[in-house]
Amino acid sequence: MENLFSFYGYRFHWLNILDLAIVIFLVVQLYRLLKGSLAFNIFVGLLIIYLAYFVVQYLHMPILSTLLQSFINVGLIAIIIIFQPEIRKFLLVLGKKAPLSKDSFFTKLFLPDKFKSYKEEENIINEVITAVARMAGSRTGALIVIANTYRVKFDTASSIAIDSNINAKLLESIFCKGSPLHDGALIIVGNKILAAKVILPVSENPNLPTRIGLRHRSAVGITEHSDNLAIIVSEERGTISYAQDGDLIQDISLEELKVKMYEVMVDGYA
């Protein structure tokens, strides 16, 4: 194999450059995935131990080398256990971009019939947008989760099953301050309201703004490890926000929300 260049006696080929570039890319993506989470500190700790192993190997310290080698041998299993939520999130993002995913170019090109009729999704979007606009105007707090599967996980013990068609007036009545269902989230799956008064997992991301409340943190929490869209109406300010893939986008307009819902429910089927 022909060398590309030499550096301090080491000979490099273009495959070595490609290898290094791929590793750098993976490290950057891993940093972006873990940034802002408690798992990032754990990852740094594991990295320090891994680097320490090479140091003690170089210094010929057999006892420490044996101890660190034993730790590294079970490191893969430990990483899978510790970073299970982050791995799940990464695979969800990767799956959405795969050639056979629902929002891929391949699927849209060879299975066009699935994308011809969006009337039902458009009606749902219009009903939700209408309800959100009215609730924002009246400063009625709301949390609506648009889930991509009936297997979405939430606390069924405290929630109330509804199984109703989506209607703007119904959404408003559920979140009305005098309603017994206004606390918690409302789950929409497909063309149905699945449940209300749902308690969601609260995000522990330390990088979230300190001024946001439980409703916004719950919205981020339900999207950190699942492929959902959470819409929030602030009770204090009457502003609209949404959470997706663990990110919180605040103070958006109704038009921006509508575009995002089209992206999720029509274009991407997220």
Side-chain angles (χ1 to χ4, degrees):
M1 185 177 291
E2 185 180 352
N3 295 325
L4 185 64
F5 63 90
S6 298
F7 182 75
Y8 283 95
Y10 292 95
R11 297 177 179 179
F12 293 90
H13 187 263
W14 67 270
L15 284 177
N16 301 122
I17 305 299
L18 178 61
D19 185 29
L20 179 61
I22 292 174
V23 170
I24 293 174
F25 172 79
L26 292 175
V27 170
V28 171
Q29 295 303 313
L30 187 61
Y31 170 78
R32 293 179 59 187
L33 180 67
L34 299 178
K35 183 179 63 174
S37 67
L38 296 176
F40 180 75
N41 293 331
I42 300 175
F43 171 73
V44 172
L46 292 173
L47 184 61
I48 291 174
I49 292 175
Y50 193 70
L51 294 176
Y53 170 73
F54 287 102
V55 173
V56 298
Q57 280 281 85
Y58 178 78
L59 297 177
H60 302 290
M61 303 171 68
I63 298 177
L64 280 177
S65 296
T66 302
L67 290 175
L68 293 177
Q69 179 66 56
S70 300
F71 185 88
I72 292 173
N73 287 340
V74 297
L76 180 60
I77 299 176
I79 288 174
I80 293 175
I81 295 174
I82 294 172
F83 297 111
Q84 185 272 337
E86 285 74 20
I87 293 173
R88 174 181 171 84
K89 180 179 176 181
F90 174 77
L91 293 177
L92 281 170
V93 174
L94 184 64
K96 289 174 65 177
K97 304 302 180 182
L100 295 179
S101 64
K102 292 181 179 179
D103 56 347
S104 68
F105 172 78
F106 178 86
T107 305
K108 293 180 180 180
L109 179 64
F110 293 100
L111 301 174
D113 292 342
K114 293 181 63 177
F115 302 91
K116 287 182 178 178
S117 178
Y118 300 138
K119 187 173 181 180
E120 186 176 47
E121 286 82 2
E122 290 177 350
N123 289 337
I124 293 172
I125 291 171
N126 290 333
E127 293 292 332
V128 173
I129 290 294
T130 300
V132 168
R134 292 174 181 170
M135 289 188 291
S138 61
R139 294 196 175 186
T140 301
L143 174 52
I144 301 172
V145 177
I146 299 176
N148 69 326
T149 172
Y150 279 92
R151 292 175 295 180
V152 60
K153 295 181 179 180
F154 58 87
D155 185 4
T156 57
S158 61
S159 62
I160 304 298
I162 295 182
D163 193 24
S164 168
N165 292 329
I166 300 169
N167 179 275
K169 292 184 178 180
L170 177 58
L171 294 176
E172 291 179 69
S173 66
I174 288 174
F175 288 108
C176 178
K177 294 179 182 179
S179 168
L181 303 180
H182 80 280
D183 285 330
L186 179 144
I187 308 292
I188 291 177
V189 180
N191 61 350
K192 295 285 186 179
I193 299 175
L194 186 64
K197 202 176 180 180
V198 178
I199 297 177
L200 301 179
V202 179
S203 174
E204 298 180 357
N205 187 344
N207 290 336
L208 289 175
T210 55
R211 62 182 176 83
I212 65 172
L214 185 62
R215 186 175 284 118
H216 289 75
R217 290 187 178 275
S218 297
V220 175
I222 193 61
T223 65
E224 283 179 330
H225 312 308
S226 57
D227 198 12
N228 302 320
L229 174 69
I231 302 168
I232 316 104
V233 178
S234 171
E235 186 174 349
E236 294 182 357
R237 300 185 297 147
T239 55
I240 304 168
S241 308
Y242 73 81
Q244 187 181 39
D245 295 329
D247 296 322
L248 179 64
I249 310 299
Q250 294 184 273
D251 302 338
I252 63 171
S253 65
L254 286 171
E255 187 59 34
E256 288 174 312
L257 177 60
K258 194 170 187 178
V259 170
K260 173 54 63 175
M261 291 187 68
Y262 266 97
E263 175 187 319
V264 168
M265 300 182 67
V266 178
D267 294 338
Y269 285 84

